[in-house]
Amino acid sequence: MTNQLNESYLPTLLQMRLLVGFLGERSQFAWWPTAFYEPSSRLFLEPVFARTSRLAQYHGVLEAARRLHDEHLSVGSYHLFRLPEEVEQDLHALVQSSAGEDLASQVPSSKEAALDSLKRLAGAQAPAGVGPTAVGNINDLDSADAWTAIAGAYLSAFSQNAKAYPYLLS
């Protein structure tokens, strides 16, 4: 994968992480017990992380989601919240950039709006199963089909009030 190729799908990947991260929090579908995207969390985070509160929100949810997925998938599996190191570094750089700030500031404040945004990312993707679900190969990381399948798996799970752990084979 070239950096140019990486850059083209990173904003979509970041948007999907933000949406699924928000939807997985305790006030929405409670997949993980965090509340980083609740309005009250800013009151707690801003005094400690004055200039980086959005980054702290992102990393808090990222770690909670990563742990849950890792508990249900084989060691070494790649998923939305655990990707190859160079991609993780690119995402970290993106989330700190002005483009990442823009994406982070657009995280919907309601479950319905977040589901609508996830539905747009999933497109006409057929619903996937629940639990661990292989949706492609890590070599297809830059493929729109892979990310559409991942978005579809999460959308299907949230719609059924079930949990899904879509992953990419290495």
Coordinates of all heavy atoms in Angstrom, one line a residue, residues 33-89:
P33 N -18.3 0.2 28.5 CA -18.9 1.0 29.6 C -18.3 2.4 29.7 O -18.2 3.0 30.8 CB -18.5 0.2 30.9 CG -17.2 -0.4 30.5 CD -17.3 -0.7 29.0
T34 N -18.0 3.0 28.5 CA -17.5 4.4 28.5 C -18.6 5.4 28.2 O -19.6 5.1 27.7 CB -16.3 4.5 27.5 OG1 -16.8 4.3 26.2 CG2 -15.2 3.5 27.8
A35 N -18.2 6.7 28.5 CA -19.1 7.8 28.2 C -18.3 9.0 27.7 O -18.6 10.1 28.0 CB -19.9 8.2 29.5
F36 N -17.3 8.7 26.9 CA -16.5 9.8 26.4 C -17.2 10.8 25.5 O -16.8 11.9 25.4 CB -15.2 9.2 25.7 CG -14.2 8.7 26.6 CD1 -14.1 7.3 26.8 CD2 -13.4 9.5 27.3 CE1 -13.2 6.8 27.7 CE2 -12.4 9.0 28.2 CZ -12.3 7.6 28.4
Y37 N -18.2 10.3 24.8 CA -18.9 11.2 23.9 C -20.2 11.8 24.4 O -20.9 12.5 23.8 CB -19.2 10.5 22.5 CG -18.0 10.3 21.7 CD1 -17.5 9.1 21.4 CD2 -17.3 11.4 21.2 CE1 -16.3 8.9 20.7 CE2 -16.1 11.3 20.5 CZ -15.6 10.0 20.2 OH -14.5 9.9 19.5
E38 N -20.4 11.6 25.7 CA -21.5 12.3 26.4 C -21.1 13.8 26.6 O -19.9 14.1 26.9 CB -21.8 11.7 27.7 CG -22.5 10.3 27.6 CD -22.9 9.7 28.9 OE1 -22.9 10.4 29.9 OE2 -23.3 8.5 28.9
P39 N -22.0 14.7 26.6 CA -21.6 16.1 26.8 C -20.9 16.4 28.1 O -20.0 17.2 28.1 CB -23.0 16.9 26.7 CG -23.9 16.0 25.9 CD -23.4 14.6 26.2
S40 N -21.3 15.7 29.1 CA -20.6 15.9 30.4 C -19.1 15.5 30.4 O -18.4 16.0 31.3 CB -21.4 15.1 31.5 OG -21.3 13.7 31.2
S41 N -18.7 14.6 29.5 CA -17.3 14.2 29.5 C -16.4 15.4 29.2 O -15.2 15.4 29.7 CB -17.1 13.1 28.5 OG -17.0 13.5 27.2
R42 N -16.8 16.3 28.4 CA -16.0 17.5 28.1 C -15.7 18.3 29.3 O -14.6 18.8 29.5 CB -16.7 18.4 27.1 CG -17.1 17.8 25.7 CD -15.9 17.6 24.8 NE -15.2 18.8 24.4 CZ -15.0 19.2 23.2 NH1 -15.5 18.5 22.2 NH2 -14.3 20.3 23.0
L43 N -16.6 18.3 30.3 CA -16.4 19.1 31.5 C -15.2 18.4 32.3 O -14.5 19.0 33.0 CB -17.6 19.1 32.4 CG -18.8 19.8 31.8 CD1 -20.1 19.6 32.6 CD2 -18.5 21.3 31.6
F44 N -15.2 17.1 32.2 CA -14.1 16.3 32.9 C -12.8 16.4 32.2 O -11.7 16.5 32.8 CB -14.6 14.9 33.1 CG -13.5 14.0 33.6 CD1 -13.2 13.9 34.9 CD2 -12.8 13.1 32.7 CE1 -12.2 13.1 35.4 CE2 -11.8 12.3 33.2 CZ -11.5 12.3 34.6
L45 N -12.8 16.2 30.9 CA -11.6 16.1 30.0 C -10.9 17.5 29.8 O -9.7 17.5 29.8 CB -11.9 15.5 28.7 CG -12.3 14.0 28.7 CD1 -12.8 13.6 27.3 CD2 -11.2 13.2 29.2
E46 N -11.7 18.5 29.6 CA -11.1 19.8 29.2 C -10.1 20.4 30.2 O -9.1 20.9 29.9 CB -12.1 20.8 28.8 CG -12.6 20.5 27.4 CD -13.7 21.4 26.8 OE1 -14.2 22.2 27.6 OE2 -14.0 21.2 25.7
P47 N -10.4 20.3 31.5 CA -9.4 20.8 32.5 C -8.1 20.0 32.5 O -7.0 20.6 32.7 CB -10.1 20.7 33.9 CG -11.5 20.6 33.6 CD -11.6 19.9 32.2
V48 N -8.1 18.7 32.2 CA -7.0 17.9 32.2 C -6.3 17.9 30.8 O -5.0 18.0 30.7 CB -7.3 16.4 32.5 CG1 -6.1 15.5 32.5 CG2 -8.0 16.4 33.9
F49 N -7.1 17.9 29.7 CA -6.6 17.9 28.4 C -7.1 19.1 27.6 O -7.8 19.0 26.7 CB -7.0 16.6 27.6 CG -6.6 15.3 28.3 CD1 -7.5 14.6 29.1 CD2 -5.4 14.8 28.2 CE1 -7.2 13.4 29.7 CE2 -5.0 13.6 28.8 CZ -5.9 12.9 29.5
A50 N -6.7 20.3 28.1 CA -7.3 21.5 27.6 C -7.2 21.6 26.0 O -8.2 22.0 25.4 CB -6.6 22.7 28.2
R51 N -6.1 21.3 25.5 CA -5.9 21.4 24.0 C -6.2 20.2 23.2 O -6.3 20.2 22.0 CB -4.5 21.9 23.7 CG -4.3 23.3 24.2 CD -2.8 23.8 24.1 NE -2.0 23.3 23.0 CZ -1.7 24.0 21.9 NH1 -2.1 25.2 21.9 NH2 -1.0 23.4 21.0
T52 N -6.3 19.1 23.9 CA -6.5 17.8 23.2 C -7.6 17.0 23.7 O -7.6 15.7 23.7 CB -5.2 16.9 23.4 OG1 -4.9 16.7 24.8 CG2 -4.0 17.6 22.7
S53 N -8.7 17.6 24.2 CA -9.8 16.8 24.7 C -10.5 15.9 23.7 O -10.9 14.8 24.0 CB -10.9 17.8 25.4 OG -11.4 18.6 24.4
R54 N -10.6 16.4 22.4 CA -11.2 15.5 21.4 C -10.3 14.3 21.2 O -10.8 13.2 21.0 CB -11.3 16.2 20.1 CG -12.5 17.2 20.1 CD -13.0 17.5 18.7 NE -13.8 18.7 18.6 CZ -15.1 18.7 18.9 NH1 -15.7 17.6 19.3 NH2 -15.7 19.9 18.8
L55 N -9.0 14.5 21.2 CA -8.0 13.4 21.0 C -8.2 12.4 22.2 O -8.1 11.2 22.0 CB -6.6 13.9 20.9 CG -5.5 12.9 20.6 CD1 -5.7 12.2 19.3 CD2 -4.1 13.5 20.7
A56 N -8.4 12.9 23.4 CA -8.6 12.1 24.6 C -9.9 11.3 24.5 O -9.9 10.1 24.8 CB -8.6 12.9 25.9
Q57 N -10.9 11.9 24.0 CA -12.2 11.2 23.7 C -12.0 10.0 22.8 O -12.4 8.9 23.0 CB -13.2 12.1 23.1 CG -13.9 13.1 24.1 CD -14.8 14.0 23.3 OE1 -14.5 14.6 22.3 NE2 -16.0 14.1 23.8
Y58 N -11.3 10.3 21.7 CA -11.1 9.3 20.6 C -10.3 8.2 21.2 O -10.6 7.0 21.0 CB -10.3 10.0 19.5 CG -9.8 9.1 18.4 CD1 -10.6 8.5 17.5 CD2 -8.4 8.8 18.4 CE1 -10.1 7.6 16.6 CE2 -7.9 7.9 17.4 CZ -8.7 7.3 16.5 OH -8.2 6.4 15.6
H59 N -9.2 8.4 21.9 CA -8.3 7.4 22.4 C -9.0 6.6 23.5 O -8.8 5.4 23.6 CB -7.0 7.9 22.8 CG -6.1 8.1 21.6 ND1 -5.5 7.0 20.9 CD2 -5.6 9.2 21.0 CE1 -4.8 7.5 19.9 NE2 -4.8 8.8 20.0
G60 N -9.8 7.2 24.3 CA -10.6 6.5 25.3 C -11.5 5.5 24.7 O -11.6 4.3 25.1
V61 N -12.3 5.9 23.8 CA -13.2 5.0 23.1 C -12.5 3.9 22.3 O -12.9 2.8 22.3 CB -14.2 5.8 22.2 CG1 -15.0 4.9 21.3 CG2 -15.1 6.6 23.1
L62 N -11.4 4.4 21.6 CA -10.6 3.4 20.8 C -10.1 2.3 21.7 O -10.3 1.1 21.3 CB -9.4 4.2 20.2 CG -8.4 3.3 19.4 CD1 -9.1 2.7 18.2 CD2 -7.3 4.2 19.0
E63 N -9.6 2.6 22.8 CA -9.1 1.5 23.7 C -10.2 0.6 24.2 O -10.0 -0.6 24.3 CB -8.3 2.2 24.9 CG -7.5 1.2 25.7 CD -6.5 0.3 24.9 OE1 -5.9 0.8 23.9 OE2 -6.3 -0.9 25.3
A64 N -11.3 1.2 24.6 CA -12.4 0.4 25.1 C -12.9 -0.6 24.0 O -13.1 -1.8 24.3 CB -13.6 1.3 25.6
A65 N -13.1 -0.1 22.8 CA -13.5 -0.9 21.7 C -12.5 -1.9 21.3 O -12.8 -3.1 21.0 CB -13.8 0.0 20.5
R66 N -11.2 -1.5 21.3 CA -10.2 -2.5 21.0 C -10.2 -3.7 22.0 O -10.0 -4.8 21.6 CB -8.8 -1.7 21.0 CG -7.6 -2.6 20.7 CD -6.4 -1.8 20.7 NE -6.4 -0.9 19.5 CZ -5.6 0.2 19.3 NH1 -4.9 0.6 20.3 NH2 -5.7 0.9 18.2
R67 N -10.3 -3.4 23.2 CA -10.3 -4.4 24.2 C -11.4 -5.4 24.0 O -11.3 -6.6 24.1 CB -10.3 -3.9 25.7 CG -9.0 -3.2 26.1 CD -9.1 -2.6 27.5 NE -7.9 -2.0 27.8 CZ -7.6 -1.5 29.0 NH1 -8.4 -1.7 30.0 NH2 -6.4 -0.9 29.2
L68 N -12.6 -4.9 23.8 CA -13.8 -5.7 23.6 C -13.6 -6.6 22.4 O -13.8 -7.8 22.4 CB -15.1 -4.9 23.5 CG -16.3 -5.8 23.2 CD1 -16.7 -6.5 24.5 CD2 -17.4 -4.9 22.6
H69 N -13.2 -6.0 21.3 CA -12.9 -6.8 20.1 C -11.8 -7.9 20.3 O -12.0 -9.0 19.8 CB -12.6 -5.9 18.9 CG -13.7 -5.2 18.3 ND1 -14.4 -4.2 19.0 CD2 -14.4 -5.3 17.1 CE1 -15.4 -3.8 18.2 NE2 -15.4 -4.4 17.1
D70 N -10.8 -7.5 20.9 CA -9.7 -8.4 21.2 C -10.1 -9.6 22.0 O -9.6 -10.7 21.8 CB -8.5 -7.7 21.8 CG -7.7 -6.8 20.9 OD1 -7.9 -6.9 19.6 OD2 -6.8 -6.1 21.3
E71 N -11.0 -9.4 22.9 CA -11.5 -10.5 23.8 C -12.3 -11.5 22.9 O -12.4 -12.7 23.3 CB -12.5 -9.9 24.8 CG -11.8 -9.2 26.0 CD -12.8 -8.5 26.9 OE1 -14.0 -8.8 26.8 OE2 -12.3 -7.7 27.8
H72 N -12.9 -11.1 21.8 CA -13.7 -12.0 21.0 C -13.1 -12.5 19.7 O -13.7 -13.3 19.0 CB -15.0 -11.3 20.7 CG -15.9 -11.1 21.9 ND1 -15.8 -10.0 22.7 CD2 -16.8 -11.9 22.5 CE1 -16.6 -10.1 23.7 NE2 -17.3 -11.3 23.6
L73 N -11.9 -12.0 19.4 CA -11.2 -12.4 18.2 C -9.9 -13.1 18.5 O -9.3 -12.9 19.6 CB -11.0 -11.2 17.3 CG -12.3 -10.5 16.8 CD1 -11.9 -9.2 16.1 CD2 -13.0 -11.4 15.9
S74 N -9.4 -13.8 17.6 CA -8.1 -14.5 17.7 C -6.9 -13.4 17.8 O -7.0 -12.4 17.2 CB -7.8 -15.4 16.5 OG -8.8 -16.4 16.4
V75 N -5.9 -13.8 18.5 CA -4.7 -12.9 18.6 C -4.2 -12.7 17.2 O -4.1 -13.6 16.4 CB -3.6 -13.6 19.5 CG1 -2.4 -12.8 19.5 CG2 -4.1 -13.8 20.9
G76 N -3.9 -11.5 16.9 CA -3.3 -11.2 15.6 C -4.4 -10.8 14.6 O -4.0 -10.4 13.5
S77 N -5.7 -10.8 15.0 CA -6.7 -10.4 14.0 C -6.7 -8.9 13.9 O -6.5 -8.2 14.9 CB -8.1 -10.9 14.6 OG -8.2 -12.2 14.6
Y78 N -7.0 -8.5 12.7 CA -7.1 -7.0 12.5 C -8.6 -6.7 12.4 O -9.4 -7.5 11.9 CB -6.5 -6.6 11.1 CG -5.0 -6.7 11.2 CD1 -4.3 -7.7 10.4 CD2 -4.2 -5.9 12.0 CE1 -2.9 -7.8 10.4 CE2 -2.9 -5.9 12.0 CZ -2.2 -6.9 11.2 OH -0.8 -7.0 11.3
H79 N -9.0 -5.6 13.0 CA -10.4 -5.2 13.0 C -10.4 -3.6 13.0 O -9.3 -3.0 13.1 CB -11.1 -5.8 14.2 CG -10.5 -5.6 15.6 ND1 -10.5 -4.4 16.3 CD2 -9.7 -6.4 16.3 CE1 -9.8 -4.5 17.4 NE2 -9.3 -5.7 17.4
L80 N -11.6 -3.0 13.0 CA -11.7 -1.6 12.9 C -10.9 -0.9 14.0 O -10.4 0.2 13.7 CB -13.2 -1.2 13.1 CG -13.5 0.3 13.0 CD1 -13.1 0.9 11.7 CD2 -15.0 0.5 13.2
F81 N -10.7 -1.5 15.2 CA -10.0 -0.8 16.2 C -8.6 -1.3 16.5 O -7.9 -0.9 17.4 CB -10.9 -0.9 17.5 CG -12.2 -0.2 17.3 CD1 -13.3 -1.0 17.1 CD2 -12.3 1.1 17.4 CE1 -14.6 -0.4 16.9 CE2 -13.6 1.7 17.2 CZ -14.7 1.0 16.9
R82 N -8.1 -2.2 15.7 CA -6.7 -2.7 15.7 C -6.3 -3.0 14.3 O -6.7 -4.0 13.7 CB -6.6 -3.9 16.6 CG -5.1 -4.4 16.6 CD -4.8 -5.6 17.5 NE -5.2 -5.4 18.9 CZ -4.5 -4.7 19.7 NH1 -3.4 -4.1 19.4 NH2 -4.9 -4.6 21.0
L83 N -5.4 -2.1 13.8 CA -5.0 -2.2 12.4 C -3.5 -2.3 12.4 O -2.8 -2.1 13.4 CB -5.5 -1.0 11.6 CG -7.0 -1.0 11.5 CD1 -7.5 0.3 11.0 CD2 -7.5 -2.2 10.5
P84 N -2.9 -2.6 11.2 CA -1.4 -2.6 11.1 C -0.8 -1.3 11.7 O -1.4 -0.2 11.5 CB -1.1 -2.8 9.7 CG -2.3 -3.5 9.1 CD -3.5 -2.9 9.9
E85 N 0.4 -1.4 12.3 CA 1.0 -0.2 13.0 C 1.1 1.0 12.1 O 0.8 2.1 12.5 CB 2.3 -0.6 13.5 CG 3.0 0.5 14.4 CD 2.1 0.9 15.6 OE1 1.4 0.0 16.2 OE2 2.2 2.0 16.0
E86 N 1.5 0.9 10.8 CA 1.6 2.1 10.0 C 0.3 2.7 9.8 O 0.2 4.0 9.7 CB 2.3 1.7 8.7 CG 1.4 1.1 7.6 CD 2.2 0.9 6.3 OE1 3.3 0.5 6.3 OE2 1.5 1.1 5.3
V87 N -0.8 2.0 9.7 CA -2.1 2.5 9.5 C -2.6 3.2 10.8 O -3.1 4.3 10.8 CB -3.2 1.5 9.1 CG1 -4.6 2.1 9.0 CG2 -2.7 0.8 7.8
E88 N -2.3 2.6 11.9 CA -2.6 3.3 13.2 C -1.9 4.6 13.4 O -2.4 5.6 13.8 CB -2.2 2.3 14.4 CG -3.1 1.1 14.5 CD -4.5 1.4 14.9 OE1 -4.9 2.5 15.3 OE2 -5.3 0.4 14.9
Q89 N -0.6 4.6 12.9 CA 0.2 5.9 13.0 C -0.4 6.9 12.1 O -0.6 8.1 12.4 CB 1.6 5.6 12.7 CG 2.4 4.9 13.7 CD 3.8 4.5 13.3 OE1 4.3 4.8 12.3 NE2 4.5 3.8 14.2

